[in-house]
Amino acid sequence: MITNILSVSDCTDQTSLSDFSPSDKPWDIHASERDQVRNLYLESGHPYARRISDCSQWLDFALTSTDSDEVAFKLQSSKFCRVRHCPVCQWRRSLKWRAKFFQVLPQIREVYPTARFIFLTLTVKNCELADLRSQITIMNKAWQRMVQRKNFPALGWVRSLEVTKSKDSSAHPHFHSLLMVPADYFLDGYLKQSDWTNLWQSALRINYTPIVDVRTVKPKLGVEGDGIAAAVCETLKYSVKPDDLVSSADWLLGLTKQLHKTRAVAVGGVLKQYLADLEKEPDDLIHVDESSQSGEEQGRLRFDWRYKKKQYTT
Ligand SMILES: [Zn+2]
């Protein structure tokens, strides 16, 4: 991550990555979660334990100077396991997806200057973990039916699946989606929350009322600090909370089996041509911050993961 933190001279006495670059603190947090997930796989004799053991054990950063004589850290190399539920890899994946979205947003705005975004969350009743896979199949089919309905207003959409663990250990699958709608949607064809609920219920072909939440993203799309950033971050985040991943070996193994080869993110409508890459595993989990400027390289610094300290240090 690029981060402007210290002057070059400050970098001599530090040893930990988070001291050098406080905004890289998430590395320590996610690597620590990664070890917990690895240990749960290990306890269960699952082959993912071995793969995760090699994940992000070292990080090689380029140090570049900025205009204000500060140092920016930019990851240059590491090795990632790409296990779906590895907390480091799912974090990198979500950063990559977000970067991709913000990279193409100006092009989308150029072609659709008056379009607006709405953020829609669609849920179903909780299910047993053992039934999660079939529940997700039902939700995917319902989504397909919904987007084909005449009154579905979006020109394009991005949708992600999140599964949380309920207190009674049942699974709570739900979709977060960002819909791009034409400007006149708010004048003609506008759907209230109750209309969305009816639409989702009828697409699901169920006889209970599902919980649906819809919010309009504030205008001035793409401006930093704008609602679109929060909606994109919420849509393109991890599919399982790290706290839930590490809650128990049974839950982790059940989830691993149930979510195997299910799609985390889907894109449709006119956004497909800009964002189809989001549906694939990103090739590159290293450069997730393409938009940032790069200054002159001042050197390299390598950090190794210290299992006991739960820190990356030099
Ligand atoms: Zn990993």
Side-chain angles (χ1 to χ4, degrees), residues 59-80:
L59 307 171
D60 185 15
F61 284 89
L63 277 58
T64 55
S65 56
T66 66
D67 295 344
S68 47
D69 193 30
E70 291 175 319
V71 178
F73 277 58
K74 193 167 188 186
L75 187 68
Q76 290 300 301
S77 64
S78 186
K79 192 178 159 195
F80 296 104

Side-chain angles (χ1 to χ4, degrees), residues 34 51-56 79-90 92-93 285:
R34 175 204 62 205
R51 271 175 68 186
I52 297 185
S53 294
D54 287 339
C55 183
S56 46
K79 192 178 159 195
F80 296 104
C81 70
R82 295 177 180 277
V83 167
R84 170 101 174 237
H85 301 302
C86 166
V88 169
C89 291
Q90 79 164 5
R92 303 301 291 175
R93 214 177 271 126
L285 295 178

Side-chain angles (χ1 to χ4, degrees), residues 249-264:
D250 283 350
W251 179 264
L252 177 65
L253 287 191
L255 210 57
T256 304
K257 192 175 158 195
Q258 295 289 321
L259 290 182
H260 185 61
K261 292 198 190 274
T262 58
R263 178 164 283 175

Side-chain angles (χ1 to χ4, degrees), residues 222-251:
V223 176
E224 208 169 57
D226 187 66
I228 187 73
V232 167
C233 287
E234 187 64 15
T235 308
L236 299 173
K237 62 176 186 182
Y238 45 70
S239 39
V240 184
K241 271 194 278 193
D243 283 354
D244 285 353
L245 283 177
V246 302
S247 64
S248 81
D250 283 350
W251 179 264

